[in-house]
Amino acid sequence: MGTVCKTIHKTQIVETDGFVLEQPIETKPFEIKSNLPEVQEMCATKIQALYRGHSVRKQNKEVEESFPPLQDVALPIEQVPEIYHHAVSKVLLQLGPFDYSKCSTMVGAKTLPPYQFLDKGGIYIGQWKNHQRNGKGKYIFPDGSLYEGYWVDDKANGYGRLIVNSGDYYEGEWKNDKNDGYGVYVHFDKSRYEGFWKDDNRHGQGTETWADNSAVYDGSFYMGVKEGYGIYKWADGSNYAGGFRNNQFQGQGVYIWPDGSKYEGYWQNNKMNGQGEMIWIDGRKYIVIRTTKRMVMGNSIGLMVEFIKVNGKMGCNMEKESTQIKMVKKFQESGLKGKGDDLFCITQSSLTYTNQIYK
């Protein structure tokens, strides 16, 4: 009987143009009828195998069609531009090839030929999944800028490097097309920032270095501005360590001049303000006592003043020197000066005090 589920041929008599012909008749496996159980079982197995093969081929076709972008989004191209923007090419030459080993691996992504987007003209070379850029790949912007790195759902996510046509570049972590996480941004003039980012803003701990190394800031940032504790160092040897708010000295901090003179105390909007101590290299000291008192002149109330001690001498800090002189005399009359101390004036805008001492 042979192999039961193989094709079995029968013949039939056909009369054509006066001729009698015997033609074979093909009978498919599922057309074979038999009452034998073993025949029925073998034929059912063959039918199932054929169905599974058809399902797999259909599924593979659907998967293959799910990789590339839709035809109204991007189309495949044969050639990719070899020359990028001149500034981008210069940076590429300095940095070398991008290290894709720092990127994650996306399961199920497939590398396809280059595609050019229809809306803006950008070219993408890399992996695709679900009709979107997913996995490792590089994108050439219409203006010549270049991104290489990891993609998730058509956006830069994970580790990547962007070289802008201005000559700036960023390499580090991304989230939804924005610098987010740890990364390094280098400007064309070689000034740089290395640290943490959030939504394209410097955020968290980081180090900012000027192009000519004239200054370095190492400290905290909040959404793009210096905020919190930080250390500023200048090339001339001066430095500041203390609080910042909105890019300015704020709160308690220590400033040291190149000659070694030092101020330690409170700041507001980049200016010394409040309690503090200034020490010159020759040993002179300027001390501001934080406590303030309200003075009365005649029937009017005077300004709130700070009592100041310079080299052990008591004084007042007023907005105008003419007012200071009047108030100094009033201090003497009121007996506010400390025992054994001399009373004098000092201007708030300068750390040099007047040579007029009132006794």
Side-chain angles (χ1 to χ4, degrees):
M1 188 172 182
T3 302
V4 177
C5 286
K6 283 187 176 180
T7 302
I8 299 177
H9 297 281
K10 297 181 179 180
T11 60
Q12 62 179 351
I13 305 300
V14 179
E15 184 176 349
T16 304
D17 297 330
F19 295 93
V20 177
L21 303 176
E22 183 177 358
Q23 293 181 344
I25 300 175
E26 183 177 344
T27 305
K28 298 181 180 179
F30 54 81
E31 293 176 333
I32 298 175
K33 297 182 180 180
S34 173
N35 293 327
L36 296 176
E38 59 271 19
V39 174
Q40 294 178 352
E41 181 179 355
M42 295 181 68
C43 290
T45 302
K46 185 68 174 180
I47 293 172
Q48 291 173 359
L50 290 173
Y51 178 77
R52 284 196 299 269
H54 171 74
S55 298
V56 170
R57 288 190 297 272
K58 182 180 179 181
Q59 184 178 4
N60 290 340
K61 183 179 179 181
E62 292 175 350
V63 171
E64 288 295 323
E65 292 177 349
S66 70
F67 283 107
L70 301 177
Q71 294 184 356
D72 60 347
V73 175
L75 294 175
I77 58 174
E78 296 181 358
Q79 294 183 347
V80 179
E82 297 181 359
I83 301 176
Y84 304 97
H85 190 279
H86 66 278
V88 176
S89 299
K90 184 178 179 180
V91 175
L92 275 174
L93 189 62
Q94 296 171 355
L95 300 179
F98 177 73
D99 185 4
Y100 280 97
S101 66
K102 297 180 179 180
C103 298
S104 303
T105 300
M106 178 169 289
V107 178
K110 183 177 181 179
T111 302
L112 297 180
Y115 275 81
Q116 184 167 22
F117 286 81
L118 301 179
D119 56 348
K120 297 181 180 179
I123 298 173
Y124 176 75
I125 309 165
Q127 296 179 322
W128 296 80
K129 185 179 180 181
N130 298 329
H131 309 297
Q132 294 179 321
R133 290 169 287 184
N134 276 292
K136 303 173 184 178
K138 66 179 179 180
Y139 179 73
I140 305 172
F141 291 83
D143 64 1
S145 301
L146 173 67
Y147 171 82
E148 297 178 275
Y150 197 69
W151 298 80
V152 176
D153 295 339
D154 255 348
K155 293 182 179 180
N157 279 278
Y159 194 85
R161 182 177 71 186
L162 172 67
I163 304 176
V164 188
N165 60 10
S166 64
D168 296 359
Y169 72 88
Y170 169 83
E171 182 167 351
E173 296 174 322
W174 294 76
K175 183 178 179 180
N176 295 331
D177 281 342
K178 293 182 178 181
N179 306 349
D180 202 294
Y182 191 86
V184 181
Y185 192 103
V186 180
H187 295 268
F188 71 95
D189 63 359
K190 303 307 179 184
S191 59
R192 58 185 285 142
Y193 169 81
E194 182 172 357
F196 289 91
W197 298 76
K198 183 178 181 180
D199 292 335
D200 271 344
N201 293 297
R202 302 171 187 189
H203 187 81
Q205 195 70 17
T207 302
E208 191 176 51
T209 306
W210 271 245
D212 53 0
N213 290 319
S214 59
V216 176
Y217 172 80
D218 185 10
S220 178
F221 289 82
Y222 182 82
M223 297 307 289
V225 298
K226 299 175 182 67
E227 192 90 7
Y229 181 83
I231 300 175
Y232 232 133
K233 295 181 179 180
W234 288 267
D236 63 1
S238 57
N239 65 83
Y240 170 84
F244 282 84
R245 179 178 294 175
N246 196 26
N247 288 331
Q248 295 185 321
F249 303 162
Q250 187 82 13
Q252 193 167 7
V254 179
Y255 189 98
I256 301 176
W257 280 262
D259 65 357
S261 300
K262 181 176 75 172
Y263 171 79
E264 182 173 359
Y266 286 85
W267 299 75
Q268 185 174 0
N269 298 330
N270 272 352
K271 296 180 180 179
M272 290 167 278
N273 187 289
Q275 182 177 348
E277 178 181 86
M278 175 71 195
I279 302 176
W280 283 268
I281 56 174
D282 61 5
R284 288 180 298 144
K285 289 185 179 181
Y286 163 75
I287 303 174
V288 177
I289 303 172
R290 193 174 183 83
T291 305
T292 61
K293 291 188 177 181
R294 187 177 296 274
M295 300 305 299
V296 179
M297 294 181 62
N299 295 325
S300 61
I301 298 178
L303 299 174
M304 292 294 288
V305 300
E306 289 177 325
F307 292 91
I308 301 170
K309 185 178 288 187
V310 178
N311 298 333
K313 300 175 182 179
M314 202 68 177
C316 61
N317 189 5
M318 306 291 291
E319 293 182 354
K320 297 180 180 180
E321 187 171 348
S322 60
T323 306
Q324 291 174 8
I325 296 174
K326 294 180 182 179
M327 293 299 290
V328 165
K329 295 179 179 179
K330 199 69 179 178
F331 289 150
Q332 290 177 317
E333 296 172 3
S334 62
L336 288 176
K337 69 173 185 175
K339 184 176 181 181
D341 289 336
D342 293 327
L343 196 61
F344 64 94
C345 314
I346 184 168
T347 59
Q348 188 173 6
S349 60
S350 173
L351 291 179
T352 59
Y353 55 85
T354 66
N355 57 8
Q356 293 179 321
I357 298 178
Y358 300 89
K359 296 182 179 179

